[in-house]
């Protein structure tokens, strides 16, 4: 009997089936304890930035962490490959300003070549795009998001700390020429700054066939100056656009790629372009969140507003093999927070701010 048992467990076919079972377990998409599938990874490649947006990094960067603490391209590629094995479909490179990291095209090419990745995007302030858009496209970047808070040079300068609107507009044109389309444009709307410009930005989307994303101001600024009264709600943003351009909701497919945080609209008159409204403060979408973040120094953050981080860097550098790294990631993801609680009186702004987390 014992012999029979030993025989069964050591039979090559049984071994094969067991390994297949483990593999199936390993390809089960990442899920947290609230049954949310995690399909969308944001990787910050640097916490340095050449802009000083007042809602993000008004007083400049904190002293740079030692370079040895930053993930190398090899480590980022390894992490991305493992995340994709775990079911991540979409990766977005961000920062800080991602184009400030030297030879970012090399990383783009490596991540784009990962077997199973469905979408590789990058968020940038656009400053370096006039020279780099073509190279990014050639390296395998699928999509780009460019931040643009104002079409007025003076206001642009007040909001970003730099007088470079023309150059960012040239960056948008360069991205289009390079075929990084459809172009997505992020605009953080802050009361008393650019809330009067919302309809003009919608007009820009129509003229340039762009996907505008209007974002509510979140309490993630390094100056800690965020006030609820400065938040222009998604509802108000929509109303301001509709005073000039009536909108029609875009019905999304039941299984969009990664989580779609924006409520999307097209123009009722059929004009090109699209409007998206991202309202994390007044209409939290935490219940459908499928995101996870990796900071430039290798910390996994399960929410923008997390109070704790989990060092993937230490696990990788500690010599863990791929299965051990996968186990670590699964355990971390399982602990993803139910929601960010910005609406609660007990809300505390996280110590790390947007440019350090990776927006
Ligand atoms: N530097 C790049 C850029 O500006 O596009 C990428 C990083 S930035 C942190 C990513 C996005 O976060 C930008 O579109 C920016 O406007 C947005 N962001 C930064 N601080 C924010 C805040 N306090 N509330 C809402 N969005 C914010
Ligand atoms: Fe830099 Fe982007 Fe933050 Fe502006 S939003 S300061 S460009 S990281």
């Amino acid at each position: 009997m014992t012999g029979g048992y030993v025989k069964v467990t050591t039979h090559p076919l049984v071994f094969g089936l067991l390994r297949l079972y483990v593999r199936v377990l390993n390809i089960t998409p990442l899920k947290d304890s609230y049954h949310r599938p995690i399909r969308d990874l944001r990787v910050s490649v640097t916490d340095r930035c050449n802009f000083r947006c007042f809602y993000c990094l008004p007083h400049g960067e904190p002293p740079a962490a030692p370079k040895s603490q930053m993930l190398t391209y090899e480590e980022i590629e390894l992490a991305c490959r493992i995340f994709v094995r775990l079911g991540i479909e979409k990766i977005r490179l961000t920062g800080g300003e991602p184009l400030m990291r030297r030879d970012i095209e090399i990383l783009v090419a490596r991540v784009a070549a990962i077997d199973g990745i469905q979408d590789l995007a990058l968020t940038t302030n656009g400053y370096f795009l006039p020279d780099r858009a073509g190279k990014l496209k050639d390296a395998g970047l699928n999509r780009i998001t460019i931040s643009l808070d104002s079409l007025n040079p003076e206001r642009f300068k007040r909001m970003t700390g730099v007088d470079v609107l023309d150059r960012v507009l040239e960056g948008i044109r360069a991205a289009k020429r390079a075929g990084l389309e459809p172009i997505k444009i992020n605009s953080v709307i802050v009361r008393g700054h650019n809330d009067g410009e919302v309809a003009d930005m919608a007009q820009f989307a129509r003229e340039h066939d762009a996907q505008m994303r209007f974002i509510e101001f979140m309490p993630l600024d390094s100056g800690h100056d965020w006030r609820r009264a400065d938040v222009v709600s998604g509802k108000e943003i929509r109303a301001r656009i509709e005073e000039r351009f009536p909108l029609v909701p875009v019905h999304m497919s039941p299984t969009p790629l990664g989580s779609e945080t924006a409520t999307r609209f097209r123009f009722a008159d059929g004009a090109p372009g699209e409007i998206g409204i991202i309202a994390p403060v007044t209409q939290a979408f935490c219940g459908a969140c499928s995101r996870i973040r990796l900071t430039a120094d290798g910390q996994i953050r399960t929410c923008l507003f997390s109070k704790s981080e989990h060092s993937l860097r230490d696990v990788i550098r500690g010599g863990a093999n791929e299965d051990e790294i996968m186990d670590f990631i699964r355990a971390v993801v399982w602990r993803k927070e139910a929601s960010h609680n910005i609406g609660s009186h007990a809300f505390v702004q996280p110590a790390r701010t947007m440019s350090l987390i990776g927006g």
Side-chain angles (χ1 to χ4, degrees):
M1 195 65 188
T2 312
Y5 177 78
V6 170
K7 211 173 174 184
V8 171
T9 53
T10 54
H11 191 285
L13 184 67
V14 175
F15 260 136
L17 285 173
L18 270 174
R19 280 171 59 184
L20 189 67
Y21 178 63
V22 169
R23 204 173 283 175
V24 168
L25 274 185
N26 277 341
I27 59 169
T28 307
L30 271 177
K31 275 207 172 123
D32 68 13
S33 62
Y34 300 95
H35 308 292
R36 291 172 297 193
I38 305 301
R39 301 200 202 94
D40 182 341
L41 172 68
R42 305 207 147 202
V43 181
S44 172
V45 296
T46 179
D47 50 21
R48 306 284 95 190
C49 188
N50 54 333
F51 282 22
R52 295 289 174 264
C53 303
F54 82 90
Y55 52 75
C56 180
L57 202 56
H59 312 302
E61 306 121 320
K67 208 171 158 209
S68 60
Q69 287 183 15
M70 297 293 143
L71 291 186
T72 63
Y73 282 173
E74 287 71 25
E75 288 168 333
I76 296 176
E77 181 192 354
L78 172 70
C80 289
R81 188 154 40 78
I82 293 175
F83 271 108
V84 169
R85 268 182 73 190
L86 282 166
I88 291 290
E89 296 166 344
K90 174 174 156 187
I91 295 180
R92 178 174 293 276
L93 304 178
T94 180
E97 173 46 44
L99 299 190
M100 286 194 61
R101 178 114 182 215
R102 188 189 293 254
D103 297 329
I104 189 72
E105 293 82 359
I106 292 176
L107 179 68
V108 168
R110 286 182 176 196
V111 177
I114 291 173
D115 210 16
I117 187 169
Q118 293 186 32
D119 186 32
L120 177 60
L122 180 141
T123 306
T124 172
N125 60 31
Y127 181 84
F128 296 103
L129 280 182
D131 306 326
R132 309 274 290 278
K135 290 177 193 147
L136 289 165
K137 175 72 179 173
D138 293 346
L141 190 69
N142 301 128
R143 293 185 306 114
I144 199 151
T145 300
I146 302 162
S147 298
L148 178 69
D149 298 322
S150 176
L151 295 165
N152 173 298
E154 265 308 303
R155 192 173 298 121
F156 182 96
K157 184 179 165 198
R158 274 202 303 279
M159 291 188 75
T160 61
V162 282
D163 189 7
V164 294
L165 173 62
D166 282 347
R167 186 162 166 138
V168 172
L169 292 175
E170 177 50 32
I172 293 174
R173 286 191 287 272
K176 279 195 99 163
R177 276 198 303 276
L180 285 165
E181 290 186 284
I183 304 278
K184 232 187 226 184
I185 295 179
N186 276 357
S187 193
V188 181
I189 305 301
V190 186
R191 191 167 308 284
H193 288 267
N194 57 352
D195 49 332
E197 238 192 298
V198 168
D200 293 341
M201 301 293 281
Q203 167 96 46
F204 184 87
R206 293 161 64 92
E207 285 168 1
H208 294 82
D209 192 7
Q211 301 185 341
M212 276 302 307
R213 294 291 180 258
F214 294 104
I215 308 174
E216 285 179 353
F217 180 24
M218 290 185 275
L220 286 167
D221 55 315
S222 66
H224 291 256
D225 292 323
W226 181 87
R227 299 282 172 273
R228 189 165 297 274
D230 297 337
V231 177
V232 182
S233 71
K235 209 170 152 197
E236 182 177 337
I237 292 171
R238 178 177 175 182
R240 282 178 178 255
I241 298 170
E242 292 208 286
E243 280 169 13
R244 211 187 295 172
F245 306 115
L247 299 173
V248 179
V250 172
H251 295 292
M252 287 180 287
S253 85
T255 51
L257 196 60
S259 65
E260 178 58 79
T261 50
T263 309
R264 291 164 49 197
F265 303 89
R266 61 182 175 76
F267 294 103
D269 64 2
E274 189 193 276
I275 298 296
I277 297 178
I278 303 179
V281 180
T282 63
Q283 295 165 56
F285 37 77
C286 304
C289 181
S290 74
R291 289 191 180 167
I292 190 108
R293 292 181 150 79
L294 183 62
T295 64
D297 58 354
Q299 309 300 306
I300 298 178
R301 290 181 67 95
T302 45
C303 174
L304 263 179
F305 297 92
S306 289
K307 301 284 178 318
S308 57
E309 301 183 333
H310 310 269
S311 184
L312 185 62
R313 183 193 64 209
D314 289 352
V315 173
I316 292 174
R317 293 188 184 171
N321 64 33
E322 289 202 12
D323 286 339
E324 288 163 340
I325 298 173
M326 285 170 96
D327 287 345
F328 175 77
I329 293 173
R330 280 185 188 285
V332 167
V333 165
W334 191 252
R335 279 143 61 191
K336 183 171 162 70
E337 299 80 345
S339 68
H340 55 49
N341 288 323
I342 299 177
S344 136
H345 288 300
F347 174 78
V348 182
Q349 183 168 337
R352 285 229 236 194
T353 53
M354 193 65 132
S355 68
L356 300 176
I357 297 168

